[in-house]
Amino acid sequence: MKKNNIGTIFFTKLLLSIVLTLIILILMKSSSSFKNTFYKQVYNNNISFTRLKELYNKYIGDSNILDKVVKTETVFNEKLTYKKQEKYLDGVKLEVGSNYLVPIEESGIVVFIGEKEGYGNTVIIQRVDGVDEWYGNIQNVNVKLYDYVKKNTLLGESNNNLYLVYKKDGNILNYEDYLK
C-alpha cells in the first residue's frame, strides 16, 4: 500500500469518527431519553472495549493503520515470573522479588487505576479477549487510564507480592487457566 493511500484512509477514518461523535453529542443535547440511555450504557454498565473495537473493525476497518506507518522498538519485553503462588481472595497471590518489574500478560485497554480493598493500588486491563485482568500491589505505574497496552510490556513495579484476578462479565475466572 502506498504511503499516500494510507494517509487518505487514515484521514477518512478520522473524519468518520469525528462525524459519529458529533452525531452522538447532538442527539444527547436534543433528546433527554437518548442522553439517559447513553449514560446508563456508558457510565453505569461495564463498557466492553473489545466489543467496540470489533464493531469499529467490522464497519470502519482495521484500527491499527498507524502500525503500518510508525515503527517502534520494544525496550521491555518480559514474561511473568514468580517464585510461589497461592489462592488469594478472588484470584492468586504471586511471590515475586523486591522491586519486581511487572509485565502485561495480554494486550488490552487500561480501564481502572486506583485502590481496591485487599489488593492495594490496582490496575485493571480489559484484555483483547474480553477478560478483565486485575494487577494488585502495583507501584510506579507505567500506564495511564485508557491507554492501549501491549503484551509483555512494562506495567509497573511490585514488592514481594503481586495479586492477579481474572473476571469476565462480572464472573470470577479460574486463575490457573491463565497462569501457564
Side-chain angles (χ1 to χ4, degrees), residues 130-174:
V131 172
D132 291 342
E133 184 170 12
W134 296 24
Y135 294 85
N137 193 31
I138 303 292
Q139 296 87 37
N140 300 324
V141 176
N142 195 44
V143 298
K144 295 184 291 298
L145 194 59
Y146 304 119
D147 276 355
Y148 177 79
V149 294
K150 292 190 176 185
K151 181 178 182 173
N152 298 335
T153 58
L154 178 64
L155 175 67
E157 292 180 36
S158 185
N159 272 328
N160 304 319
N161 294 312
L162 171 64
Y163 305 108
L164 296 176
V165 176
Y166 302 89
K167 289 186 174 186
K168 187 166 187 174
D169 300 326
N171 298 316
I172 298 166
L173 304 176
N174 184 3

Side-chain angles (χ1 to χ4, degrees), residues 5-167:
N5 206 7
I6 291 175
T8 303
I9 293 170
F10 176 75
F11 185 69
T12 303
K13 288 181 179 184
L14 178 66
L15 281 177
L16 186 57
S17 297
I18 290 170
V19 168
L20 289 173
T21 302
L22 288 174
I23 289 170
I24 289 172
L25 291 173
I26 290 168
L27 286 172
M28 286 178 60
K29 184 79 171 164
S30 63
S31 170
S32 61
S33 66
F34 179 82
K35 182 178 180 180
N36 292 336
T37 303
F38 182 84
Y39 278 138
K40 180 180 176 190
Q41 293 301 317
V42 173
Y43 294 115
N44 295 340
N45 296 339
N46 187 12
I47 298 173
S48 174
F49 288 102
T50 305
R51 180 73 179 129
L52 288 176
K53 185 174 191 247
E54 288 171 1
L55 289 172
Y56 184 91
N57 288 344
K58 180 178 178 182
Y59 294 109
I60 298 176
D62 184 13
S63 60
N64 294 328
I65 193 165
L66 289 179
D67 290 346
K68 298 170 185 151
V69 179
V70 179
K71 297 202 187 267
T72 59
E73 253 184 69
T74 303
V75 176
F76 182 87
N77 188 14
E78 300 293 324
K79 297 199 183 317
L80 185 65
T81 57
Y82 50 91
K83 299 171 188 164
K84 188 172 103 177
Q85 72 178 28
E86 64 183 65
K87 181 150 180 50
Y88 179 82
L89 298 176
D90 293 336
V92 62
K93 176 173 85 170
L94 303 177
E95 185 180 312
V96 296
S98 179
N99 298 323
Y100 176 71
L101 299 178
V102 179
I104 296 168
E105 286 192 283
E106 186 61 57
S107 300
I109 294 178
V110 179
V111 295
F112 177 85
I113 299 174
E115 291 290 318
K116 290 280 187 183
E117 188 175 338
Y119 297 102
N121 193 41
T122 302
V123 176
I124 300 176
I125 297 174
Q126 188 175 83
R127 299 163 35 138
V128 293
D129 60 3
V131 172
D132 291 342
E133 184 170 12
W134 296 24
Y135 294 85
N137 193 31
I138 303 292
Q139 296 87 37
N140 300 324
V141 176
N142 195 44
V143 298
K144 295 184 291 298
L145 194 59
Y146 304 119
D147 276 355
Y148 177 79
V149 294
K150 292 190 176 185
K151 181 178 182 173
N152 298 335
T153 58
L154 178 64
L155 175 67
E157 292 180 36
S158 185
N159 272 328
N160 304 319
N161 294 312
L162 171 64
Y163 305 108
L164 296 176
V165 176
Y166 302 89
K167 289 186 174 186

